[in-house]
Amino acid sequence: MINSLFAILLAGILPFADTVSNRVWMGSSVQTGEFRNVFDAATQVENRLGAQGTASNGRLLMNGRFEYGYDYGTGSRYRGWTDPYSTPFMVCDTIPGNISKETYDMAAGTGVRFGRWTVGVDLGYSTATMSKHKDLRNKNVRMDFSFAPGVSYRGERFLASVSAGHGRGTEQVEYMQVDESTEKYLFQVYGLWLCTGSGFSSSEDRRIMEENRLFANIDIRYKYGKALFSNSLSASYRRSCQTETGYNNLHHGDTHTLEYNDALRLSVGPHAVAVDACLQQMVGSRKVQRQELDPASGVRRWFSYGAPSDVYWRQVLKLDAAYTYTAPGWNLEAGVFWLDADHAFKEYPVVYGQTLSFVEPRLALGWTISCFRIAPSIAWKHSLSENHLSTNVFGGVSLEAAERQLTSPLKAEYAYWSVDAIRTGMCIEVWRALRNSRQLTLGLGINCHYNTDSRSSRTAINILIGYCF
């Protein structure tokens, strides 16, 4: 068993070291119900199998983690990217079908102690494949890699660590059609569901997205008597570029994203306060392009003219605050979550805007009896938004009557995020202590998300089996 000081040190310099022992786990989740986002499957099954270990040898500290996941869903639509919120420039189709996703997530780190100082490096690699099994059929392949060196200092009451790194990711999506008896349509979405649509052509519908990310993190912890203070501040910058695969040089758009996160914790005896804040700012730009004949190859290619123009803006602010009281055998948590988001897309002479704001207070209780724990929870989300969509027309030009947006997913997505809703949950955990400080754990969770306006709901059942050794 690794001692607690070593675990604290690893948590400072290697963020994925979240346990003081080696462990393996297996879990499954089933979600079903009408109250869902436009990207969610009607019924979603998620499975996870993972292992994690830590070790030390003198001054050398090591950590490793691996997780395999397989997800399967029915009735999925508009899912052109594995993460549809990573970019405003999306390719998708409107035909519902079954979808599967397979992921491999790996991380490893090592550190060397020099007295009170520790120097280390954190490596991460993940890959995922996603496929829809009904025309139009999209196949996505995504890979991400990150490298982050860091240094930490541990005093008698004080611990500080600093890390910075670089990450790179690529994702390619390719569409295909098996049944050619009817024509299928593919949509190019450019933010706020403004789009162009065209009949499917297998020779022109492959897209690749390349991402580069810079990030940094500062952790501070201070303990005095029964009081423990910690703060984690991180910042990241991500740039992504979307182009057509192959030779035609078609450019779909770039994004620049800044994100800041801060997590503050303060505990004194049985009382604890946690405050988390996140600010994300995204700008999307596109180039002016024209298709011309390339004399060298004799084929038509897209050529860019001028600098990219900013066409999309997004700002999202999230705040979460919680108070926890822990007593022998039970605990109480009361908290509130607030989100405020603004989106805008410019398609001259019109600027389309969307605002979203809601607050969600919550309450959770937990009781522990011997090797059994039960924890019910409830939350109520209340919308603060008044108008979900606005249009500004420049130059006195009248707005065209023709529809420019996919209105069905636009309204459905906004309704999902802005509608008043109630969340209820129940978590049950049973564990058994084994020899040599080993432990077997079984957890069961049931959550229900209820839309008070449409009286629709979505239920999730989660099960987790873990073994620590």
Side-chain angles (χ1 to χ4, degrees):
M1 182 70 69
I2 300 177
N3 61 66
S4 59
L5 291 179
F6 172 56
I8 293 176
L9 183 61
L10 277 179
I13 194 169
L14 303 175
F16 51 79
D18 57 355
T19 180
V20 297
S21 63
N22 303 323
R23 64 185 181 116
V24 294
W25 64 90
M26 178 176 60
S28 294
S29 173
V30 180
Q31 304 176 29
T32 186
E34 297 179 358
F35 186 33
R36 57 191 175 103
N37 199 358
V38 294
F39 305 111
D40 296 334
T43 298
Q44 180 80 17
V45 180
E46 301 177 355
N47 303 286
R48 296 292 182 270
L49 178 65
Q52 176 173 295
T54 56
S56 62
N57 185 3
R59 297 188 302 174
L60 181 64
L61 318 174
M62 293 172 288
N63 179 284
R65 182 179 182 274
F66 173 81
E67 185 178 68
Y68 168 78
Y70 181 81
D71 305 339
Y72 188 83
T74 62
S76 178
R77 298 198 298 174
Y78 308 109
R79 192 72 182 272
W81 296 114
T82 55
D83 179 9
Y85 288 105
S86 62
T87 175
F89 308 116
M90 184 171 60
V91 58
C92 64
D93 71 292
T94 62
I95 302 172
N98 297 342
I99 191 170
S100 61
K101 181 182 177 183
E102 194 171 10
T103 59
Y104 298 86
D105 190 6
M106 292 158 277
T110 183
V112 181
R113 290 182 292 194
F114 301 95
R116 296 184 179 274
W117 294 88
T118 301
V119 179
V121 62
D122 179 10
L123 300 174
Y125 176 76
S126 64
T127 181
T129 59
M130 185 180 72
S131 301
K132 187 159 78 82
H133 308 290
K134 184 177 180 179
D135 294 348
L136 289 169
R137 304 166 187 251
N138 60 298
K139 180 179 180 181
N140 297 59
V141 179
R142 181 172 181 90
M143 292 181 288
D144 292 275
F145 175 79
S146 64
F147 170 82
V151 60
S152 72
Y153 174 82
R154 181 186 63 194
E156 295 294 333
R157 300 176 178 175
F158 179 76
L159 172 65
S161 65
V162 179
S163 61
H166 173 260
R168 176 168 174 79
T170 61
E171 182 173 354
Q172 178 174 307
V173 56
E174 180 175 0
Y175 277 82
M176 65 175 294
Q177 182 177 351
V178 176
D179 179 15
E180 298 182 356
S181 60
T182 59
E183 186 178 31
K184 304 298 191 298
Y185 288 88
L186 197 63
F187 292 91
Q188 313 284 341
V189 181
Y190 298 104
L192 287 179
W193 295 100
L194 282 97
C195 67
T196 59
S198 60
F200 175 74
S201 174
S202 60
S203 62
E204 299 176 356
D205 298 307
R206 294 180 298 166
R207 184 183 293 200
I208 187 169
M209 179 168 60
E210 299 178 324
E211 299 178 349
N212 284 282
R213 185 168 62 100
L214 298 174
F215 55 91
N217 185 81
I218 300 176
D219 286 307
I220 297 175
R221 302 186 185 188
Y222 182 78
K223 185 175 183 180
Y224 183 80
K226 295 183 178 181
L228 176 63
F229 169 84
S230 67
N231 190 77
S232 178
L233 176 64
S234 64
S236 66
Y237 168 76
R238 180 173 62 89
R239 181 185 183 277
S240 71
C241 175
Q242 289 187 43
T243 59
E244 203 81 8
T245 59
Y247 56 84
N248 61 8
N249 200 36
L250 180 59
H251 186 271
H252 294 286
D254 299 334
T255 61
H256 302 264
T257 306
L258 277 172
E259 185 171 317
Y260 307 91
N261 289 274
D262 188 74
L264 184 147
R265 302 289 185 272
L266 176 62
S267 63
V268 181
H271 307 278
V273 176
V275 179
D276 296 281
C278 175
L279 174 63
Q280 184 191 79
Q281 298 173 319
M282 176 184 288
V283 176
S285 60
R286 299 181 65 191
K287 295 180 179 179
V288 176
Q289 289 195 299
R290 186 172 67 189
Q291 195 176 45
E292 300 177 1
L293 183 65
D294 184 6
S297 60
V299 298
R300 293 191 174 275
R301 298 183 60 193
W302 291 91
F303 291 85
S304 301
Y305 294 89
S309 300
D310 295 341
V311 296
Y312 177 82
W313 299 266
R314 180 171 77 193
Q315 179 169 290
V316 181
L317 176 62
K318 303 176 186 178
L319 293 175
D320 186 273
Y323 165 77
T324 303
Y325 178 81
T326 304
W330 67 280
N331 70 283
L332 166 69
E333 179 184 333
V336 60
F337 175 78
W338 176 68
L339 181 142
D340 186 83
D342 291 287
H343 306 252
F345 185 87
K346 179 176 66 175
E347 187 178 63
Y348 188 83
V350 186
V351 174
Y352 296 83
Q354 187 183 73
T355 60
L356 171 67
S357 182
F358 67 83
V359 62
E360 187 178 67
R362 65 183 184 274
L363 181 66
L365 295 170
W367 291 274
T368 302
I369 303 174
S370 183
C371 296
F372 174 81
R373 176 176 173 79
I374 183 171
S377 62
I378 187 170
W380 175 61
K381 186 180 74 172
H382 175 62
S383 175
L384 304 176
S385 304
E386 295 182 358
N387 298 316
H388 78 279
L389 186 65
S390 63
T391 56
N392 295 320
V393 183
F394 292 92
V397 180
S398 61
L399 182 63
E400 296 179 6
E403 198 66 66
R404 301 187 179 193
Q405 295 172 294
L406 290 171
T407 55
S408 177
L410 172 71
K411 295 178 180 179
E413 182 186 28
Y414 183 80
Y416 174 81
W417 287 107
S418 65
V419 73
D420 290 355
I422 298 175
R423 299 176 187 267
T424 58
M426 176 68 71
C427 180
I428 299 174
E429 186 177 3
V430 181
W431 61 91
R432 178 179 177 83
L434 305 176
R435 295 180 179 179
N436 300 324
S437 301
R438 301 180 180 184
Q439 180 174 294
L440 181 65
T441 304
L442 173 64
L444 176 66
I446 302 176
N447 299 279
C448 182
H449 194 187
Y450 181 72
N451 183 342
T452 58
D453 290 344
S454 64
R455 300 184 184 276
S456 59
S457 64
R458 188 168 181 85
T459 302
I461 300 176
N462 311 289
I463 186 171
L464 177 67
I465 301 175
Y467 177 61
C468 296
F469 58 96

